[in-house]
Amino acid sequence: MTLLKQLSSSATLILFAVWSTRAFSQEKPEEASAERARANFAREIVLAPDDVRAFEDAPNGFMTPRADVPHGKVEELAYESAVTGTRRKANVYLPPGYSPKKKYPVLYLLHGIGGDENEWLNLAAPNVVLDNLIADGKAAAMIIVMPNGRALPDDRAIGDPFTKEKVEGFSKFERDLLDHLIPSVEAKYSTYTDRKHRALAGLSMGGGQTLNFGFNNLDTFAWIGAFSSAPNTKPPAELVPDPAAVRKQLKLIYLSCGNKDGLINFSQDVHRYLNEHDVPHVWNVDDYGHVGETWASNLYHFVQRVFR
Ligand code: FER
């Protein structure tokens, strides 16, 4: 069941009105609840003249497997994490012709609040999107790592995803990613190991994680993509306290959201702050709500702009 269906299946309409008038700021894990999520999704959407598309939707067939192109493969990576005290799983896409004799850049791709390491594969088939783009010369051959971003001993995507503990798991993932996942990926695969060859992107909670972790670790990532970022996104002045450093170090900041997504306020605030501080970025507002179509389409656009 999709998150939105899950949320609309019970009715707490009065809370919508109460919470949607509250001033915007980051939602702390202890504040998270299904009610708050419904209220966040029901926020009034106010579009400014520059809240428009940077790109058309991805073309027909962009995520359809083609018989005429070489295919990469998806395999599982298991890694030990001192953050969770468990052996964790990630899905890894290796591009067509992957060879330990070459070195590859790596995109870390993060899921939403109800997802796990399989969510991107189900929503957007990044392996197919990349096979097609690489064959057309439109994307660099890259490894894509799809981890489970809920860094908890029990990280299963079951039950109410909005509990304090589960939401905290998404913040704890910063250390899991930096101290355990990245070193494991770079030990197992033939990768470059500098910031210019690492990208971080995600949808919704994963978009918030991308902004929170990406801006906080400029020495680790040079390319960031946040699609339909969730209320876990830190307030912009906290995210980017030093605009000059970001301007200098990041090679791409890509923000997107649908113009029918009640969470668009969170992305608009980051976009406007970056504009006020002259930090170049992509801002793509398409015509979707909080749905897989916008994430797949923005993944298509984002991956063409990294590592080149
Ligand atoms: C919330 C609304 C939405 C929230 C998280 C989300 C933590 C995440 C949505 C998603 O990942 O799709 O209030 O609080």
Side-chain angles (χ1 to χ4, degrees):
M1 185 156 62
T2 67
L3 177 64
L4 283 179
K5 278 190 200 134
Q6 229 171 311
L7 286 172
S8 53
S9 64
S10 86
T12 44
L13 284 168
I14 297 163
L15 280 170
F16 281 13
V18 175
W19 287 114
S20 57
T21 56
R22 169 180 165 273
F24 157 68
S25 68
Q26 182 190 14
E27 187 161 272
K28 302 281 175 254
E30 59 273 21
E31 301 166 342
S33 68
E35 286 72 28
R36 287 292 292 271
R38 272 191 287 274
N40 281 325
F41 281 117
R43 280 167 190 266
E44 187 187 358
I45 296 171
V46 183
L47 297 172
D50 68 334
D51 293 337
V52 292
R53 287 179 176 283
F55 313 114
E56 290 307 313
D57 280 346
N60 287 338
F62 77 105
M63 50 188 266
T64 307
R66 276 161 46 186
D68 62 326
V69 306
H71 300 295
K73 64 173 182 171
V74 176
E75 62 178 42
E76 191 180 289
L77 166 74
Y79 65 102
E80 299 295 335
S81 170
V83 172
T84 60
T86 56
R87 196 167 168 78
R88 311 200 70 219
K89 283 180 192 160
N91 285 312
V92 177
Y93 164 76
L94 300 174
Y98 170 82
S99 156
K101 296 198 187 95
K102 295 184 199 158
K103 281 189 194 298
Y104 297 85
V106 185
L107 164 62
Y108 294 84
L109 189 58
L110 312 179
H111 59 79
I113 199 157
D116 60 17
E117 69 276 14
N118 296 313
E119 184 173 65
W120 268 104
L121 292 170
N122 296 330
L123 283 175
N127 52 321
V128 178
V129 173
L130 264 291
D131 286 349
N132 293 346
L133 284 172
I134 293 168
D136 292 342
K138 291 183 176 167
M142 67 183 83
I143 294 175
I144 303 183
V145 177
M146 292 160 273
N148 180 321
R150 195 182 293 99
L152 298 174
D154 181 354
D155 62 6
R156 291 175 298 167
I158 53 167
D160 176 3
F162 293 98
T163 62
K164 173 175 179 279
E165 290 69 26
K166 288 203 182 129
V167 172
E168 269 170 2
F170 282 83
S171 341
K172 291 184 176 155
F173 183 67
E174 182 168 7
R175 297 281 20 126
D176 183 77
L177 170 67
L178 295 171
D179 302 339
H180 306 291
L181 178 58
I182 292 177
S184 304
V185 167
E186 295 181 355
K188 177 166 180 191
Y189 300 105
S190 185
T191 68
Y192 291 105
T193 56
D194 60 321
R195 52 187 296 285
K196 288 195 178 138
H197 294 95
R198 291 196 206 99
L200 183 62
L203 72 91
S204 202
M205 282 299 271
Q209 287 177 310
T210 294
L211 297 172
N212 295 348
F213 308 163
F215 286 125
N216 197 33
N217 295 284
L218 298 176
D219 50 349
T220 302
F221 305 102
W223 318 80
I224 64 179
F227 315 140
S228 319
S229 295
N232 62 330
T233 307
K234 287 185 207 161
E238 245 178 75
L239 269 184
V240 185
D242 183 358
V246 164
R247 210 180 292 130
K248 191 164 156 242
Q249 291 196 266
L250 288 185
K251 295 176 79 71
L252 175 67
I253 303 167
Y254 182 113
L255 305 175
S256 69
C257 197
N259 62 17
K260 298 180 178 62
D261 186 337
L263 303 186
I264 194 172
N265 307 254
F266 295 90
S267 298
Q268 283 170 323
D269 270 35
V270 178
H271 157 65
R272 287 171 194 162
Y273 179 94
L274 294 177
N275 266 358
E276 280 160 22
H277 293 83
D278 296 318
V279 180
H281 60 284
V282 171
W283 174 228
N284 188 38
V285 178
D286 62 26
D287 296 319
Y288 293 105
H290 202 71
V291 294
E293 284 88 343
T294 180
W295 302 324
S297 181
N298 281 288
L299 178 71
Y300 169 88
H301 291 300
F302 177 74
V303 294
Q304 294 179 63
R305 287 166 179 79
V306 294
F307 308 133
R308 6 178 74 195

